[in-house]
């Protein structure tokens, strides 16, 4: 099967395309395998909302739920089996790619229980547990970039476990995430870990930034504020890539690189456009960076395959332009610190809500199976 020309162009430009979705159906029908073969998909990300939609939206999990309920497993145990089975199966699909890229791609991410987002020790414990249960070298454990999540990131990296840091909204928090990663690598080196096997991505959310800031700009009104709509999300990511270039071009990382360490790639998340007035490839075409990851829902992936027109790759000049745009947004009256704090809280709450809904869905199925 031939790869799509547009997705191939992105891949050639240094962008790893990961699918922001996973389900039993995608695995059993061969859909994921087809996307790997035809759309340059080299990884998969999951989250509580994705698992909730997959398990509640089909009957493909019913037989397993009935079997596991009959074995006396709890609802939490059943959910763990269902989700880690899917992640393990997806990881196996990517095993050859993972080997050929020396762990760079062929990655599948699974998130710690979102109810633990404010609990450092329990996050560390579950991250290690999920890594062991999935039992695949190409799994990435997702840990949220909350204040409590930062020390967990360091501790888990120090154990030699690859981490996808999620729910990053501000450049300032991104700097703390990079610090957590570098500190983890340094501890891993001291413990004798093979740094070349440790990989990480930092998931910087994009469309949610525009959705929140656009609303505030519209409330402010006036020509200056309204002219900035639809710019903050890309600008924020551009500025973040400048932070990436600075951190991973510095002497501190050079010393780790000499020991085999890998960069922590920027990952553009939430790249599905929420405003129908914007181009549906906005957060792909404007965020080409080498190296980077863009994790796309299938709707965005289809749009990219059909009519993507990628811009030049991000560099220090683009990063400076992004920072300048954010300054204009702030000057127009938007409190960016407040926005980013709100988005983090809402991000955690959305995933926790989805997880609780998943628990309710599986609980209903278990009760029916045991009736």
């Amino acid at each position: 099967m031939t790869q799509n020309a547009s997705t191939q162009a992105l891949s050639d430009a240094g962008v790893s395309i990961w699918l922001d979705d996973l389900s039993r159906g995608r695995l059993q029908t061969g859909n994921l395998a087809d996307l790997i073969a035809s759309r340059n998909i080299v990884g998969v990300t999951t989250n509580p909302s994705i698992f909730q939609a997959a398990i509640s939206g089909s009957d493909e999990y019913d037989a397993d739920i009935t079997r596991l309920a009959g074995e006396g497993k709890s609802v939490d145990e059943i959910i763990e089996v269902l989700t880690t089975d899917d992640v393990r199966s997806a990881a196996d699909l990517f095993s050859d790619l993972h080997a050929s890229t020396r762990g760079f791609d062929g990655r599948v991410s699974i998130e710690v229980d979102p109810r633990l987002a404010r609990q450092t020790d329990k996050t560390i414990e579950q991250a290690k547990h999920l890594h062991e249960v999935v039992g695949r070298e190409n799994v990435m454990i997702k840990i949220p970039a909350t204040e409590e999540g930062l020390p967990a990131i360091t501790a888990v990296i120090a154990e030699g476990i690859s981490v996808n840091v999620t729910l990053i909204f501000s450049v300032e928090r991104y700097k703390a995430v990079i610090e957590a990663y570098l500190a983890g690598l340094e501890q891993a080196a001291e413990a004798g870990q093979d740094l070349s096997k440790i990989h990480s991505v930092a998931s910087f959310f994009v469309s949610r930034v525009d959705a929140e800031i656009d609303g505030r700009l519209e409330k402010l009104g006036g020509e200056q504020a309204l002219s900035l709509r639809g710019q903050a999300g890309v600008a924020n990511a551009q500025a973040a890539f400048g932070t990436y270039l600075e951190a991973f071009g510095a002497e501190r990382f050079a010393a780790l690189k000499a020991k085999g360490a890998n960069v922590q790639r920027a990952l553009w998340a939430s790249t599905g456009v929420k405003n129908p007035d914007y181009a549906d490839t906005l957060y792909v075409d404007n965020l080409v960076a080498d190296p980077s990851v863009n994790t796309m829902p299938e709707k965005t992936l289809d749009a990219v395959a059909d009519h993507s027109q990628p811009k030049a790759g991000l560099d220090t000049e683009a990063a400076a332009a992004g920072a300048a745009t954010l300054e204009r947004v702030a000057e127009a009256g938007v409190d960016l610190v407040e926005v980013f704090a709100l988005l983090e809280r809402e991000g955690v709450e959305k995933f926790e809500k989805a997880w609780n809904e998943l628990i309710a869905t599986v609980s209903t199925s278990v009760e029916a199976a045991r009736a």
Side-chain angles (χ1 to χ4, degrees):
M1 192 176 291
T2 304
Q3 296 287 3
N4 175 272
S6 294
T7 58
Q8 184 63 55
L10 281 174
S11 179
D12 292 341
V15 179
S16 292
I17 304 173
W18 293 4
L19 182 68
D20 193 25
D21 194 40
L22 183 64
S23 66
R24 189 70 53 88
R26 286 194 186 277
L27 293 162
Q28 292 179 342
T29 63
N31 169 267
L32 179 56
D34 287 345
L35 292 176
I36 293 170
S38 66
R39 296 288 175 86
N40 294 88
I41 292 298
V42 294
V44 162
T45 53
T46 67
N47 61 44
S49 298
I50 285 170
F51 282 132
Q52 155 62 5
I55 295 171
S56 66
S58 78
D59 58 5
E60 293 156 346
Y61 299 88
D62 291 353
D64 279 349
I65 293 174
T66 299
R67 173 179 58 82
L68 295 165
E71 293 173 2
K73 291 192 180 297
S74 68
V75 170
D76 283 346
E77 289 172 331
I78 291 172
I79 290 173
E80 180 180 285
V81 172
L82 300 179
T83 56
T84 57
D85 277 357
D86 280 3
V87 167
R88 190 179 305 106
S89 295
D92 288 343
L93 269 181
F94 287 110
S95 60
D96 289 345
L97 179 64
H98 175 260
S100 67
T101 60
R102 297 183 180 181
F104 194 69
D105 278 317
R107 293 283 176 176
V108 184
S109 297
I110 183 170
E111 190 161 344
V112 296
D113 187 329
R115 296 171 296 180
L116 305 179
R118 305 294 181 186
Q119 302 179 60
T120 302
D121 291 342
K122 288 186 177 180
T123 293
I124 295 168
E125 180 182 347
Q126 202 195 29
K128 292 162 67 174
H129 173 71
L130 285 173
H131 181 261
E132 181 180 356
V133 169
V134 174
R136 298 293 186 270
E137 189 177 338
N138 53 333
V139 69
M140 269 189 169
I141 308 302
K142 292 179 81 170
I143 297 175
T146 58
E147 290 185 4
E148 297 85 355
L150 294 172
I153 293 161
T154 297
V156 174
I157 290 291
E159 291 281 344
I161 297 171
S162 295
V163 174
N164 177 339
V165 183
T166 188
L167 290 177
I168 306 172
F169 294 98
S170 71
V171 173
E172 287 306 309
R173 182 55 58 87
Y174 180 41
K175 291 176 181 178
V177 167
I178 293 174
E179 168 61 32
Y181 176 60
L182 296 178
L185 288 178
E186 288 162 350
Q187 292 179 25
E190 291 176 5
Q193 297 279 2
D194 182 353
L195 299 191
S196 70
K197 292 186 178 297
I198 304 172
H199 289 261
S200 183
V201 293
S203 297
F204 210 87
F205 281 53
V206 186
S207 66
R208 295 188 193 182
V209 171
D210 270 339
E212 179 62 30
I213 289 179
D214 281 1
R216 294 180 181 228
L217 290 170
E218 288 164 4
K219 286 182 180 179
L220 288 165
E223 183 177 350
Q224 179 189 6
L226 296 178
S227 69
L228 290 166
R229 288 177 297 179
Q231 296 185 40
V234 168
N236 201 34
Q238 289 173 325
F241 196 72
T243 297
Y244 164 87
L245 291 172
E246 181 178 355
F248 291 99
E251 290 184 8
R252 183 181 181 187
F253 179 71
L256 289 163
K257 184 178 179 181
K259 298 176 182 178
N262 300 289
V263 298
Q264 181 188 54
R265 284 180 291 171
L267 181 153
W268 313 126
S270 184
T271 56
V273 174
K274 292 178 169 52
N275 187 331
D277 293 334
Y278 299 159
D280 52 6
T281 59
L282 174 67
Y283 304 125
V284 178
D285 292 347
N286 291 283
L287 295 177
V288 177
D290 184 11
S292 65
V293 178
N294 196 306
T295 178
M296 307 179 197
E298 191 165 17
K299 183 179 179 181
T300 301
L301 178 64
D302 288 344
V304 167
D306 183 64
H307 52 260
S308 177
Q309 295 183 327
K311 305 294 195 302
L314 300 186
D315 54 18
T316 53
E317 185 176 339
T325 297
L326 291 179
E327 288 181 10
R328 290 195 294 274
V329 170
E331 289 168 358
V334 176
D335 186 335
L336 292 176
V337 174
E338 179 183 282
V339 166
F340 297 138
L342 172 66
L343 288 173
E344 180 183 293
R345 288 196 305 273
E346 288 182 344
V348 171
E349 289 169 0
K350 286 177 182 178
F351 283 162
E352 186 172 346
K353 180 175 182 288
W355 199 251
N356 286 330
E357 290 172 353
L358 176 56
I359 290 171
T361 296
V362 175
S363 295
T364 299
S365 298
V366 168
E367 290 171 5
R370 290 174 176 168

